[in-house]
Amino acid sequence: MAFNGQAKQEPKRGVIRATLFVYAMGGLENMAFISNAVSLVTYFYGYMNFSLTKSANTLTNFMGTSFLVALFGGLISDTYLSRFKTCVLFGCIELLGYAALTVQAHFDQLRPPPCQGLAISQTTQCQAADSGQAAILFTGLYLVAFGTSGVKAALPSLGADQFDERDPKRSSFFNWFLLSFTTGAIIGVTFIVWISTNQGWDWAFGVCTVAVLVSIMVLSMGKSLYRNNVPKGSPLLRIIQVFVVAIRNRKLPQPGIEDELHEVAGVHNEILPRTDQFRFLDRAAIEHTSDDGSTSVNLGPWRICTVTQVEETKIIIRMLPIILSTVFMNTCLAQLQTFTVQQSTTMNTHVLGIKMPGSSIPVIPLVFMFIFIPIYDCVFVPIARKITGIPTGIRYLQRIGVGLVLSAISMAVAGVVETRRKSVAREHGMVDSLQPLPMNVLWLGYQYSIFGLADMFTFVGLIQFFYEESSAGMKSLGTAISWCSSAFGYYLSSVVVDVVNKVSGGWLDNNNLNRDKLDYFYWLLAGMSVVNFGVYLVCASWYRYKKVEVIYKEENHAEGKQVEMLNAV
C-alpha cells in the first residue's frame, strides 16, 4: 500500500528503544513492591493488630509466595500468552491488590480499632482483626503477590527478546534492568516509606496503586515496538512427555549414534544437539522402525520425543543444582532485612541531621548498587571482554560465584560490626537501656554495601543464566526459576533461625539484641556461606553450557521473501 508514492514502513521491532518501556515498568512496579516489603510488618502490627510473630510470618509468607508463584506466570507466558500480554494481565491483577489494600487502609471500619495507650506487654489485649477484615487484607496481599510474580517472570524475558542472540547489548540489558529495579527500590524505601509514616498507609498504598497503573500504561505504549514470542505449548508438558516415553522405552538398548534419534527440522526455533549427560533420557527419542525397516514418523508425542525436547529437559535438570546452591545467599539477605533493621533501632539514626526511619535502612545497599552497576557495565565488562573474549566479560556462573563470595564476606563483617555495637552498649552501661547507643547507624553500611555488591553480581547472573540457557520455548519459565532462589531463601530463613535457637540454647531468644548473640549467628552464617560456596563450585564445574543451532528468520518486505539461515551458536 502506497502513500504519496512511498511504501508505508512498519516500525522496526526489537530495538533498544523498546527496552525503555520495559525499564520503566520494572522500576515503577518494583518501587511499589519493595516499599511494602520493608515496611508491611509495621502495618500488620500497628494497624491490623497482629502479634510480632504473626506480622513477621505474614510478611515472609507474602514475600516467598511473590517469588515462588512466578513459576505459574512463566508457564502462562510460555504456553498461552506472549510476554507482553502476560505482563499486562498480571500487572492488572497486582493493581487490584493494591486498590483493595488502599480501600482497607482508608476506611476505619475495615480495620480493627487501634491500640492506644497500652504498653508493649499489654498489646495482647488489643482487638484482633475479624474474619472479614482479615479476608480483605489477605485478598489484597495475595493479589499483589500473584500479580507481581507474573510480571517478574515475563518482564525480563520481554526485554531480552528485543536483542539478537549474539548481540552484546543483550548482556548489558540485564545490568540496566537491575539498575531500573534498583532506582525504583530506592524511591520506594525512602519516598513511599516516608508517606506511610507521615501521611498514612492509605496514601502509601494509593501511590503504589497509581505507580502500577502508570507502569502498565507505559509498557502498553511500546506495544508496536516489541518482538513478541509465539507460545510453543506447555514446557512442563513437554518435560513430562520425555520422562514418560523414556520410562516406556527403558528396556530398549541405549542409542549409540545421534542418527538413531528422532528430530524434526522446522518444528523448533532452535535445535539442541545431543549431550552425554543423563543419557537414560535419550531413549525418549529412539526412532521406531516397522517390520520392513522403514522409520515410523506417525507416532504421537507420548510415544516419541525429539532430541531438542529431550535436551530441553536435560537443561532443566542441570539447572536445579545451580538454583539450589544459591538459596542460602537469599537466606542471608533475609537476615539483613530483619535483624539488621532491628540493630538500627538501637543506634543513632541521624544522618546529616536527618533521622532515618528503620524501614529505610535498606537504601544503603541500593545506593551502592545504583553507583556500581553503571561502573560494572561500562568499565569492567569492556575490559574483561578484551581479556576473556566473552561478550559478557565473565561467564554467568562466574558472576554468580563472585556474588556468593561477597555474601560470605558480608556476613563476616556483620558479625564484626555487631560485636562492636555490643561493646559500645557495655562500655556505656546501656545493655538494658531503650535509648539509642552513641554509635551511628552508618556502621551497618559496611555489611549492607558488601551485600549490595553481592546482589548485583548474583541477581543479574542468575536471571541472565536462566534466560540464556533455557530453550526458546521456555524462556519465561527459566526466568521464573531464578526467582525461586529468593522464595526458598525467605522460607528457609525462619527454619534456620528456629534451628539455631534450639541447638545453641537461645542465641536470639532474649528480645534484647544487647544480650543476644547475634554476632555468633552472623559468623555462623558466614561459615555456612563458605561451605555453600564450595557446593556451588562443584555444581558449576559439573554444569555444561548448552550448544544450539538457531534458525533465524529474516523478512525482506520489499521482495516479500523469507530467508532462513541455520547458524551454529
Side-chain angles (χ1 to χ4, degrees), residues 239-557:
I239 292 171
I240 294 174
Q241 288 171 344
V242 169
F243 280 102
V244 169
V245 179
I247 293 172
R248 181 173 288 169
N249 295 343
R250 63 188 181 278
K251 295 183 179 180
L252 295 179
Q254 190 73 38
I257 58 176
E258 193 164 343
D259 291 343
E260 299 176 4
L261 301 177
H262 177 62
E263 187 60 272
V264 180
V267 175
H268 310 281
N269 283 344
E270 61 182 16
I271 295 178
L272 302 175
R274 179 191 183 188
T275 59
D276 58 358
Q277 290 180 318
F278 311 112
R279 296 187 63 182
F280 67 92
L281 292 177
D282 292 341
R283 289 186 171 90
I286 293 178
E287 292 275 15
H288 291 253
T289 56
S290 58
D291 295 336
D292 60 1
S294 61
T295 300
S296 175
V297 295
N298 296 321
L299 299 176
W302 294 98
R303 301 290 299 180
I304 189 171
C305 303
T306 64
V307 173
T308 293
Q309 188 177 346
V310 172
E311 291 303 320
E312 186 179 54
T313 303
K314 290 182 180 181
I315 287 173
I316 291 295
I317 298 176
R318 282 196 291 263
M319 285 178 168
L320 291 179
I322 300 297
I323 196 67
L324 292 176
S325 58
T326 59
V327 167
F328 194 76
M329 174 182 168
N330 288 287
T331 299
C332 295
L333 174 62
Q335 310 314 317
L336 291 183
Q337 292 179 335
T338 54
F339 288 116
T340 303
V341 172
Q342 290 181 9
Q343 285 175 281
S344 71
T345 62
T346 70
M347 305 169 75
N348 177 13
T349 58
H350 286 83
V351 179
L352 299 177
I354 301 174
K355 186 175 182 180
M356 181 184 296
S359 299
S360 294
I361 297 298
V363 75
I364 297 174
L366 293 171
V367 169
F368 270 83
M369 292 172 67
F370 183 83
I371 294 172
F372 281 100
I373 290 171
I375 295 175
Y376 178 88
D377 189 73
C378 299
V379 178
F380 174 79
V381 171
I383 294 175
R385 184 184 297 147
K386 292 180 180 178
I387 298 174
T388 64
I390 301 173
T392 55
I394 56 177
R395 293 190 179 277
Y396 324 123
L397 294 181
Q398 292 172 331
R399 180 168 183 170
I400 295 171
V402 172
L404 294 180
V405 171
L406 290 173
S407 172
I409 295 174
S410 174
M411 290 297 99
V413 171
V416 173
V417 172
E418 173 61 7
T419 300
R420 169 64 178 166
R421 191 196 64 80
K422 289 171 63 177
S423 68
V424 170
R426 288 192 300 269
E427 291 170 3
H428 291 81
M430 301 177 68
V431 173
D432 296 311
S433 174
L434 297 178
Q435 297 300 315
L437 301 175
M439 182 178 179
N440 196 274
V441 73
L442 290 181
W443 275 85
L444 301 177
Y446 292 111
Q447 63 214 53
Y448 260 138
S449 59
I450 297 173
F451 202 94
L453 295 177
D455 204 25
M456 181 189 77
F457 279 92
T458 303
F459 176 84
V460 174
L462 274 176
I463 289 185
Q464 189 170 5
F465 167 73
F466 280 95
Y467 176 85
E468 298 288 0
E469 289 295 294
S470 297
S471 65
M474 54 191 306
K475 295 291 188 184
S476 293
L477 180 62
T479 304
I481 291 175
S482 68
W483 290 106
C484 289
S485 176
S486 298
F488 294 144
Y490 278 100
Y491 290 137
L492 182 61
S493 172
S494 299
V495 176
V496 169
V497 172
D498 290 340
V499 170
V500 169
N501 264 334
K502 290 181 180 179
V503 174
S504 67
W507 280 359
L508 308 170
D509 268 353
N510 287 317
N511 288 326
N512 181 348
L513 287 181
N514 296 331
R515 292 191 177 276
D516 279 334
K517 294 181 173 59
L518 182 58
D519 48 349
Y520 291 2
F521 181 61
Y522 279 143
W523 286 331
L524 176 64
L525 292 180
M528 294 174 68
S529 296
V530 172
V531 174
N532 180 74
F533 177 67
V535 174
Y536 172 80
L537 285 180
V538 174
C539 297
S541 300
W542 171 79
Y543 186 83
R544 297 291 180 271
Y545 286 96
K546 76 171 184 179
K547 295 181 180 179
V548 58
E549 295 174 336
V550 184
I551 301 177
Y552 293 102
K553 294 182 178 181
E554 295 182 354
E555 293 185 0
N556 187 323
H557 297 288

Side-chain angles (χ1 to χ4, degrees), residues 146-159:
F146 190 69
T148 192
S149 68
V151 174
K152 284 177 169 57
L155 191 63
S157 298
L158 173 63

